[in-house]
């Protein structure tokens, strides 16, 4: 049995919240975004939710008891790092994109 700590429970809650966020964003299929700015913001938010889901899955994959020299363990570690960095870059890109659009409008 795998022992879970507070970080694991936090990752589980954020996993469920990310899925809920994608479902809520996906409900707007009938209403198309009015401009390119709204569309790009929505895409960035969806990307950050999706990358975070991949991060949560890979974190729980690391909880499996795999041999230290296993290629699966190494690929899970790489996936965890890359998905975390992609999530951070997607979240940081949102305000930067908003500032760039405001400068163009001015």
């Amino acid at each position: 049995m795998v022992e879970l700590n507070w970080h694991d429970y936090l990752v589980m809650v954020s996993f469920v919240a990310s899925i809920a966020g994608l479902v809520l964003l996906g409900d707007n299929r009938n209403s198309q975004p009015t401009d390119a700015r709204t569309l790009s913001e929505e895409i960035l938010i969806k990307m950050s939710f999706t990358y975070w889901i991949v991060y949560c899955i890979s974190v729980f994959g690391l909880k499996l008891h795999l041999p230290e020299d296993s290629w699966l363990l190494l690929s899970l570690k790489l996936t965890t790092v890359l998905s975390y960095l992609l999530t951070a870059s997607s979240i940081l890109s949102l305000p930067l994109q908003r500032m760039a659009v405001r400068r163009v409008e001015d």
Side-chain angles (χ1 to χ4, degrees):
M1 193 74 189
V2 176
E3 292 184 27
L4 301 176
N5 56 17
W6 65 271
H7 178 261
D8 298 329
Y9 290 115
L10 187 65
V11 170
M12 276 194 272
V13 169
S14 68
F15 176 74
V16 172
S18 293
I19 291 175
L22 280 177
V23 167
L24 289 175
L25 284 173
D27 266 352
N28 308 6
R29 291 183 194 165
N30 296 336
S31 63
Q32 294 296 325
T34 56
D35 57 351
R37 185 179 118 199
T38 308
L39 180 63
S40 63
E41 287 178 2
E42 187 174 312
I43 288 172
L44 281 171
I45 293 171
K46 284 181 181 180
M47 284 171 44
S48 57
F49 281 144
T50 305
Y51 291 143
W52 191 253
I53 289 171
V54 171
Y55 171 78
C56 294
I57 291 170
S58 61
V59 163
F60 286 116
L62 288 173
K63 292 287 182 184
L64 299 174
H65 297 290
L66 299 171
E68 285 298 316
D69 59 346
S70 171
W71 63 271
L72 184 59
L73 182 66
L74 293 175
S75 65
L76 279 173
K77 287 180 180 179
L78 183 64
T79 302
T80 303
V81 169
L82 288 177
S83 61
Y84 188 82
L85 292 174
L86 285 169
T87 303
S89 66
S90 296
I91 291 170
L92 290 175
S93 296
L94 187 60
L96 293 174
Q97 187 265 345
R98 285 183 181 174
M99 287 189 323
V101 168
R102 284 186 186 157
R103 280 195 174 181
V104 170
E105 288 175 355
D106 292 339

